[in-house]
Amino acid sequence: MAHRITKNVERETKLELTVNGKPVCAYAGESLATVLLAEGITIFNLTHSGKPRGLYCNMGTCFECQVKVHYLGSTQARWRRACMQTVQAGMQITTGISLSNLQSDQYED
Amino acid sequence: MKPTYDVAVIGGGLIGCACAYYLSKSGAQVVVLERGQINQGASGQNAGSLHFQLEQRLIQNIEMDVRELEFHVGLAKLAITHWRSIGAELKTDVGLSMHGGLMVSESPVETELLERKLQIERSQGLMVEMLDGREARKLAPFLSDNIHAALHCPDEGHSNPRLLTPAFVARATELGVHFITGARVSAVQRANQQWQVTFEADTNTGNRKQIHCENVLNTAGAWAVNLHIPLYPVGLTMNVTEKTAPLMPFLIQHVARKLSLKQTEDGNLLIGGGWGARLQQRSGSWSSNASPHFKLESVRGNLRAAVDVVPAVESLRLLRTWTGTTAITPDLLPVLGEVPQAPGFFVASGGSGFTYGPTYAALMTELILTGTSSYPLDPFSPARFSSLNSFMGQN
Amino acid sequence: MKTDLAIIGAGPAGMAAALAGQECGLHVTVIDEQAKPGGQILRQPPKQFTVTGWLEDRVYREAKTLLNQASEKSAIIWQFHSAVSAIVSPGVHDNFTLIIAGQNGIRELLAKRVLITPGCFDMPVLFPGCNLPGVMASGGIQAFVKCQQLVPGERFLFVGSHPLQLIVADQIVKAGGKVAGVIFAQSRSRMLALLKSPFTVLRNFDKFAQVGAAIGRLYKAGVPITFNQTIVRANGEDILQSATVAPIANDGLIQKTSTSDIKCDRLGICFGFLAATELAWQAGVECIWDAKRGGWITIHDEWMRSTVPGISVAGEITAIAGADVAALEGQIAAYGCASSLGSVSLQQVEKLSVLPRLKVKRLRRFARILTELSWPGASLLDQLESDSVNLCKCEEVTIGSFFRMMQLNPHITTANSAKLLSRAGMGLCQGRYCQYSVTRLMARQLGVSENKIGAFTSRFPAKAIAIHDLLKCE
């Protein structure tokens, strides 16, 4: 499993968010990719034909690391590249679902 | 010398390749000369809508008498029959879907337009049905609450522009049609009762070749040359979203706004409707080689219309905006027929070339081989621009 | 908003260009998709982290100096979290319009000159299992360590042909990760060929020292470094569990009968880099094919001006050569823009450019040797291919189905028309990860040069944008 480097590194604030419904702690400034890998998640989404996919380039070009993100206060979720998106408190992240999935799930404000 | 070919088709787009297929099916010897790659122009770049209702541009933007509109409806009925048989004819998948189309309105004024249209279409026997907003949403729950009414035509749909022309090419090749790509036609001349077509076989070496033929069919669209037919290039914009789960089985059009919207069999949403793009200028004149520059206002306007009609579009990502060039005439009608001053020289270009392309091709084939077509093409004849030719001098 | 010089990319080339442009009196704006300047070489930790001794190796010293200088210049306008979606060439106005996607919608920037310095990305290589979760770009693994301070897995295996994998493996070991091995496709003697010229070694001492120290530490940590070996398959049901490797014989053929499996949960791929030319293509800049130095790379003149008047290029998109060359090219490009805008005289910039040009020439010589030696070779790439492997990972177009499409459509002779028929290149990455293979495969099958096959037409938006965001203005 991935792990955060602690030697010579100080991290500030802790944030709370959920990953697949489970409450998770993250540090401010972390990318979603970091949080998900640190949680032991490797499958980020499923292709249109149902094949599992995970993070590849970690620089925003390959689009393999997309996950569904619901932001606090929004009624819709969106596909985001996990490597390019910084964590925010109250985010709800869903991994391992098909890219065909339209944002049909409704969230309460 | 005996001509090598019955017909030389200039242009490897949909109409050219479909004509080549129908002509050779009737026993003609055919060659197709394409200056670039097959299907690389408007035929492969359009949105692939099959719209049989009278289009927004026909009922709104031009003063047309009822008889002309009726002529269009007649053609639509012919095209419907044609499309229903095209899969079997071509023996291959062309992404054909005919699950119906809705032309929507957002206000009572716009609904009046729909009603006027409905009468003409009904009188000619086109299957269309008026739905109020509630009924429209019942049939198509993805529609916005703002939709006031919709005209439903069960035959409308879409086919895949990437696959249709190649399918005609594959069947035509089996029948012995010669396709020559990278062939830029530089001259078409009449000599000894036949046509002589000169083309550069390879633009890099300037290697010149000539063929002789009974007839020439110029289908080069925006790139048609040699005659004073007022065909003007127009840059158009198309948008495609990422793939998503099945959302809408219908072709959606708007009676008063430029919008066509549908989901392809792959799951992408195609959004178009005639929004402009800026043609590239090269040394003072427009360049037909370069794809037109996209305009942000066009993309935004098009997507705004799509979101207003189908709100779910908003949550999708825009994958690509592409621009293409098409040819239009001053009266926005296609040019189909023999050029009066040049016997044996035919043109076929412009005007809803995708929906009607295969039908035009079948009718043009009749015209070339027998001198007449089973559905009259007179309103589209290049003869209507004859005054221009005499005015500008014959080429 | 208006600017004299819009610089796309805040890596070494962009930072150096910004400094040089600003010193010449230009109003300079730098746009980057990341949160901070530095590019991939200096992917900075987030501002909420305090990292002591960040990238202390000598090899990063020059780039870090540049980063500090650029960050302190208050006259430079930085636009982060911003992706340039399109460069629209002048119509009625004299200015280029950059369409920029930010975090809260779209905005436009008018610029008299545009400098494109988008850098490069890890070259994808096709082999069975290459799309399995757990298979990663080595550069991506490295960015986690540099920036996010994360060891992104448990047990790493590095495979490829580029020496960078030694550096990444070393950084992983230093950060407390396990490395199962570093596998090179080339022979040991071929890699050592770099050391043959004492001048090359002396002039690039820092780089050799870094690699040398890395090898020493890996050796000490018991990490096997092997040569003449290659990945042939990544294994696992849904997630990577092991990698199958095989020896390469002297004739270059993979010995597929004597394979071995290595357990790992992360496989770092390191075969070199591709130039990120999509924006340049979109703007109409002419590119040429160079398989070893980035695939499609841009053409430029002595002032780094592209074939489109007003648009310059610098750094990796002009041919992969590393951060030092990129910075120098950025500097020269900015001088060129400044003199063409009249803010300094041509004589002045000629003088300022003498030394940078000399250095570029020298460094390019080394870069050329490095890219030559790091190139896996067409034969290896060909042998790794298999019909069931995705050519286009986004649209899931397999190599086999692509070949069938080519057979059925002999008229298809360009990458663009192949894209229309096969859907390869139509997905969310917009062809970035299949373009190189499509071009190579088609050229090989048709027996023509890659330049004849051409590239995919690059369109707006350079990266997909949510329609919701596109309809909003920032």
Side-chain angles (χ1 to χ4, degrees):
Chain A
M1 202 159 112
H3 69 265
R4 292 180 172 91
I5 302 167
T6 47
K7 200 177 147 196
N8 296 332
V9 183
E10 280 173 48
R11 294 171 171 87
E12 274 178 29
T13 356
K14 271 199 170 185
L15 302 172
E16 272 188 39
L17 58 151
T18 70
V19 176
N20 301 326
K22 185 186 130 199
V24 163
C25 271
Y27 292 96
E30 288 188 326
S31 70
L32 293 189
T34 295
V35 178
L36 294 174
L37 289 175
E39 281 301 304
I41 290 169
T42 309
I43 299 172
F44 281 42
N45 62 61
L46 303 179
T47 66
H48 296 279
S49 79
K51 300 279 186 328
R53 290 288 169 86
L55 182 133
Y56 185 81
C57 78
N58 190 25
M59 58 185 282
T61 55
C62 76
F63 284 76
E64 291 286 271
C65 66
Q66 300 178 79
V67 293
K68 214 143 196 205
V69 180
H70 171 256
Y71 300 86
L72 197 66
S74 158
T75 52
Q76 281 185 326
R78 302 203 182 283
W79 285 106
R80 291 287 188 226
R81 287 168 290 171
C83 70
M84 298 299 287
Q85 175 70 56
T86 313
V87 286
Q88 293 168 16
M91 271 180 168
Q92 299 174 44
I93 302 163
T94 315
T95 65
I97 55 172
S98 166
L99 291 171
S100 296
N101 184 300
L102 187 71
Q103 4 276 164
S104 47
D105 354 337
Q106 288 300 310
Y107 290 77
E108 282 169 28
D109 279 342
Chain B
M1 199 174 67
K2 232 178 114 0
T4 331
Y5 295 102
D6 297 313
V7 185
V9 177
I10 303 172
L14 172 57
I15 296 187
C17 295
C19 273
Y21 166 71
Y22 291 120
L23 283 164
S24 63
K25 200 179 149 195
S26 303
Q29 290 291 318
V30 184
V31 62
V32 178
L33 302 170
E34 162 57 46
R35 68 169 195 170
Q37 295 264 307
I38 297 289
N39 204 34
Q40 83 173 10
S43 305
Q45 290 166 346
N46 73 87
S49 298
L50 303 182
H51 44 76
F52 303 115
Q53 305 190 41
L54 288 169
E55 287 173 75
Q56 177 243 349
R57 63 187 181 102
L58 287 179
I59 46 176
Q60 276 228 314
N61 294 347
I62 48 173
E63 290 299 317
M64 214 181 260
D65 73 27
V66 173
R67 274 211 315 266
E68 273 186 63
L69 292 172
E70 287 173 353
F71 171 81
H72 281 275
V73 178
L75 202 57
K77 282 170 62 193
L78 207 60
I80 291 169
T81 318
H82 201 148
W83 276 104
R84 291 272 177 215
S85 67
I86 221 158
E89 173 97 44
L90 296 176
K91 294 180 280 185
T92 184
D93 173 29
V94 292
L96 181 61
S97 151
M98 292 172 80
H99 297 303
L102 293 162
M103 190 176 280
V104 301
S105 66
E106 289 178 284
S107 69
V109 181
E110 290 175 1
T111 304
E112 268 173 42
L113 268 177
L114 284 180
E115 270 158 5
R116 222 176 73 197
K117 200 171 87 81
L118 172 78
Q119 289 196 343
I120 301 167
E121 288 163 346
R122 276 255 171 96
S123 75
Q124 296 304 301
L126 186 72
M127 266 221 284
V128 274
E129 189 193 2
M130 183 68 103
L131 308 172
D132 64 25
R134 208 174 39 85
E135 290 165 333
R137 274 182 293 279
K138 201 173 160 200
L139 182 68
F142 51 84
L143 286 176
S144 154
D145 290 345
N146 297 332
I147 298 306
H148 189 259
L151 209 50
H152 178 226
C153 172
D155 291 305
E156 289 188 316
H158 55 88
S159 171
N160 192 332
R162 299 186 293 108
L163 304 180
L164 183 64
T165 305
F168 273 113
V169 173
R171 297 292 85 80
T173 307
E174 286 167 8
L175 293 171
V177 173
H178 293 159
F179 286 88
I180 307 177
T181 53
R184 181 184 291 269
V185 173
S186 54
V188 181
Q189 282 156 325
R190 186 81 179 154
N192 306 324
Q193 305 296 310
Q194 48 176 278
W195 290 96
Q196 177 182 301
V197 180
T198 311
F199 62 96
E200 321 267 327
D202 189 332
T203 37
N204 293 331
T205 61
N207 181 10
R208 250 189 210 174
K209 287 190 179 166
Q210 273 181 349
I211 50 161
H212 296 89
C213 52
E214 290 276 358
N215 302 286
V216 173
L217 170 60
N218 189 350
T219 69
W223 302 271
V225 286
N226 274 335
L227 282 159
H228 296 307
I229 291 169
L231 275 168
Y232 303 108
V234 173
L236 287 178
T237 304
M238 228 73 63
N239 300 292
V240 59
T241 72
E242 64 184 310
K243 287 181 185 178
T244 191
L247 170 70
M248 53 166 89
F250 303 116
L251 168 71
I252 307 292
Q253 295 182 90
H254 199 293
V255 70
R257 293 168 80 178
K258 288 188 280 189
L259 176 68
S260 80
L261 170 61
K262 64 196 163 284
Q263 188 168 24
T264 67
E265 73 272 27
D266 297 304
N268 306 84
L269 261 59
L270 284 184
I271 307 171
W275 290 81
R278 182 159 57 93
L279 290 171
Q280 290 200 35
Q281 300 256 320
R282 291 272 158 89
S283 51
S285 67
W286 69 279
S287 165
S288 61
N289 285 326
S291 60
H293 288 302
F294 91 105
K295 293 199 284 194
L296 187 59
E297 314 89 84
S298 282
V299 177
R300 277 223 174 106
N302 198 179
L303 296 177
R304 172 50 63 197
V307 170
D308 285 349
V309 173
V310 180
V313 169
E314 195 181 32
S315 61
L316 293 168
R317 281 170 293 186
L318 175 71
L319 201 55
R320 196 160 45 246
T321 292
W322 81 93
T323 56
T325 312
T326 188
I328 60 161
T329 56
D331 55 13
L332 303 183
L333 298 179
V335 191
L336 298 168
E338 192 169 15
V339 176
Q341 301 90 334
F345 192 101
F346 296 82
V347 282
S349 260
S352 298
F354 190 76
T355 300
Y356 295 101
T359 310
Y360 289 160
L363 294 173
M364 281 302 292
T365 297
E366 294 173 8
L367 193 67
I368 293 169
L369 297 179
T370 69
T372 173
S373 55
S374 53
Y375 191 84
L377 288 171
D378 307 347
F380 297 156
S381 167
R384 70 188 193 273
F385 302 117
S386 285
S387 55
L388 267 181
N389 273 332
S390 52
F391 167 65
M392 297 172 88
Q394 206 174 311
N395 197 340
Chain C
M1 273 190 296
K2 264 182 128 167
T3 195
D4 293 332
L5 175 61
I7 299 169
I8 304 167
M15 294 189 296
L19 280 170
Q22 193 268 330
E23 275 156 25
C24 292
L26 297 183
H27 183 277
V28 179
T29 307
V30 188
I31 307 126
D32 198 291
E33 212 182 350
Q34 294 290 343
K36 285 178 160 192
Q40 292 304 317
I41 178 108
L42 299 179
R43 268 279 283 276
Q44 296 193 65
K47 62 176 188 293
Q48 297 93 335
F49 287 23
T50 314
V51 181
T52 28
W54 180 68
L55 299 187
E56 274 189 319
D57 200 289
R58 282 169 64 101
V59 83
Y60 297 112
R61 206 167 45 185
E62 269 184 57
K64 277 169 83 177
T65 311
L66 183 61
L67 175 63
N68 289 335
Q69 285 171 348
S71 310
E72 281 159 17
K73 269 280 179 312
S74 58
I76 300 171
I77 312 285
W78 301 95
Q79 298 190 356
F80 294 113
H81 297 294
S82 298
V84 176
S85 297
I87 303 168
V88 185
S89 62
V92 273
H93 313 287
D94 293 340
N95 288 312
F96 290 92
T97 309
L98 271 59
I99 297 170
I100 301 169
Q103 282 178 309
N104 299 304
I106 295 287
R107 62 180 186 274
E108 291 180 58
L109 173 67
L110 297 178
K112 290 181 187 151
R113 294 286 180 274
V114 179
L115 172 61
I116 312 179
T117 74
C120 59
F121 55 94
D122 292 76
M123 178 170 114
V125 167
L126 309 180
F127 58 87
C130 62
N131 300 136
L132 258 188
V135 179
M136 286 175 67
S138 287
I141 294 174
Q142 190 187 30
F144 273 116
V145 182
K146 282 179 182 175
C147 167
Q148 289 280 307
Q149 303 297 313
L150 180 88
V151 176
E154 179 104 31
R155 193 176 152 83
F156 294 78
L157 176 69
F158 292 91
V159 293
S161 55
H162 198 283
L164 176 77
Q165 56 180 348
L166 290 166
I167 310 292
V168 185
D170 177 40
Q171 285 167 336
I172 288 289
V173 170
K174 260 201 264 182
K178 286 185 217 102
V179 177
V182 183
I183 291 173
F184 282 92
Q186 306 92 323
S187 64
R188 188 193 303 265
S189 59
R190 184 150 172 236
M191 288 313 278
L192 288 174
L194 260 184
L195 298 171
K196 273 189 185 148
S197 154
F199 283 114
T200 319
V201 177
L202 275 175
R203 280 183 181 148
N204 300 280
F205 185 76
D206 287 355
K207 286 189 187 109
F208 284 100
Q210 190 196 20
V211 173
I215 293 174
R217 280 188 295 262
L218 289 172
Y219 181 77
K220 231 171 160 180
V223 175
I225 301 169
T226 52
F227 295 88
N228 287 322
Q229 261 201 337
T230 181
I231 174 81
V232 288
R233 201 171 55 238
N235 310 303
E237 187 79 359
D238 287 336
I239 296 176
L240 176 74
Q241 270 160 353
S242 71
T244 304
V245 298
I248 302 174
N250 287 337
D251 57 4
L253 292 180
I254 301 173
Q255 308 295 292
K256 287 189 177 165
T257 47
S258 45
T259 59
S260 52
D261 283 7
I262 300 172
K263 221 182 130 249
C264 56
D265 71 337
R266 295 291 182 265
L267 181 64
I269 307 297
C270 198
F271 285 91
F273 304 93
L274 296 184
T277 18
E278 58 280 353
L279 259 179
W281 276 116
Q282 199 199 75
V285 168
E286 214 177 298
C287 298
I288 50 160
W289 175 262
D290 190 328
K292 299 174 188 175
R293 300 199 297 157
W296 290 108
I297 54 175
T298 54
I299 303 175
H300 60 86
D301 67 6
E302 75 273 19
W303 290 109
M304 307 311 294
R305 290 178 296 211
S306 77
T307 52
V308 175
I311 297 182
S312 300
V313 289
E316 310 290 24
I317 66 162
T318 70
I320 305 297
D324 301 341
V325 172
L328 293 161
E329 284 189 350
Q331 194 183 348
I332 298 168
Y335 290 149
C337 292
S339 83
S340 76
L341 288 172
S343 74
V344 280
S345 73
L346 186 62
Q347 282 151 308
Q348 232 173 321
V349 289
E350 282 286 6
K351 221 155 118 203
L352 287 168
S353 303
V354 172
L355 197 60
R357 283 205 174 119
L358 216 74
K359 282 194 198 161
V360 167
K361 211 173 156 194
R362 217 171 55 200
L363 288 165
R364 277 256 176 231
R365 215 172 296 146
F366 172 68
R368 203 175 257 280
I369 301 171
L370 183 65
T371 45
E372 184 73 35
L373 292 177
S374 313
W375 157 245
S379 154
L380 179 66
L381 298 179
D382 293 349
Q383 289 178 72
L384 290 176
E385 269 170 28
S386 150
D387 275 3
S388 59
V389 173
N390 282 329
L391 173 63
C392 165
K393 62 175 184 58
C394 300
E395 292 295 311
E396 304 181 89
V397 179
T398 63
I399 294 175
S401 71
F402 189 82
F403 280 154
R404 271 195 302 285
M405 179 283 294
M406 282 186 73
Q407 265 164 13
L408 289 172
N409 298 277
H411 304 292
I412 298 295
T413 55
T414 64
N416 240 347
S417 42
K419 168 178 163 180
L420 283 180
L421 264 185
S422 67
R423 291 191 67 83
M426 284 197 168
L428 269 167
C429 90
Q430 281 147 321
R432 285 173 177 84
Y433 283 72
C434 66
Q435 165 122 274
Y436 186 83
S437 307
V438 166
T439 311
R440 231 177 52 80
L441 246 72
M442 287 186 75
R444 187 185 74 205
Q445 295 302 103
L446 299 172
V448 298
S449 102
E450 286 83 355
N451 289 303
K452 271 233 142 129
I453 301 298
F456 296 147
T457 307
S458 183
R459 304 279 192 187
F460 167 84
K463 283 179 183 170
I465 308 177
I467 289 173
H468 172 85
D469 295 337
L470 189 56
L471 292 175
K472 277 195 305 185
C473 288
E474 276 196 331

